Amino acid sequence: MVTHQIIGESTTHLSADDLAALRENLHEQRLFRQEQLRQLAGPATSRAEDRRQRQAAAQVEVRIKLAASARMVLADVEAALTRMQEGSYGTCHLCRRPIDRQRLTIVPQARYCARCQQVKEAIP
């Protein structure tokens, strides 16, 4: 189900407090992903655990996919922090309109407004 919401000026403007909260969220995500990557890259906690992991190819595959996902999210977070420093944060990369504040609160590293994100995901 698609719901249409009229985006008013009050929902697109990012105040200094909004930016500060979003920056803090992005920094926390960066620390989490960096720690996640350290844990995934590090040695197993015990030799028995290491043996179990070597025996279960599915677990290794999941670990590889988690690391790849963490790297992608970390790159998105780093890019969002760079956009904040450059002053382009909160602007859609496709339509150049402001990204809704509510969307940025949920996905602070968002590069696209909700409409452009839907269009981007619909294209195979």
Side-chain angles (χ1 to χ4, degrees):
M1 177 169 94
V2 176
T3 58
H4 296 280
Q5 176 182 16
I6 297 174
I7 300 173
E9 190 64 32
S10 64
T11 62
T12 58
H13 176 71
L14 294 173
S15 69
D17 288 342
D18 291 335
L19 282 173
L22 291 164
R23 183 178 287 112
E24 183 178 338
N25 184 309
L26 288 165
H27 281 296
E28 288 173 9
Q29 283 191 47
R30 176 171 51 187
L31 291 174
F32 173 79
R33 294 304 176 178
Q34 288 170 336
E35 178 60 26
Q36 183 182 31
L37 287 170
R38 272 192 289 279
Q39 289 177 5
L40 290 169
T45 55
S46 71
R47 289 184 182 164
E49 176 71 19
D50 188 48
R51 260 184 266 121
R52 281 193 298 271
Q53 286 183 354
R54 277 187 268 126
Q55 293 170 354
Q59 286 181 346
V60 172
E61 185 177 341
V62 167
R63 194 173 168 137
I64 290 168
K65 287 182 179 183
L66 280 172
S69 177
R71 278 195 228 39
M72 285 176 37
V73 173
L74 179 59
D76 287 345
V77 167
E78 294 285 355
L81 288 167
T82 299
R83 289 192 305 274
M84 272 187 178
Q85 287 177 335
E86 295 171 347
S88 62
Y89 180 79
T91 301
C92 179
H93 281 214
L94 290 178
C95 70
R96 302 293 180 209
R97 292 185 183 142
I99 299 172
D100 188 60
R101 182 175 22 148
Q102 185 177 17
R103 176 165 168 71
L104 289 172
T105 301
I106 295 168
V107 185
Q109 68 271 24
R111 295 174 188 252
Y112 307 103
C113 67
R115 181 176 295 159
C116 288
Q117 183 69 44
Q118 287 176 341
V119 169
K120 192 171 174 352
E121 289 174 0
I123 299 172

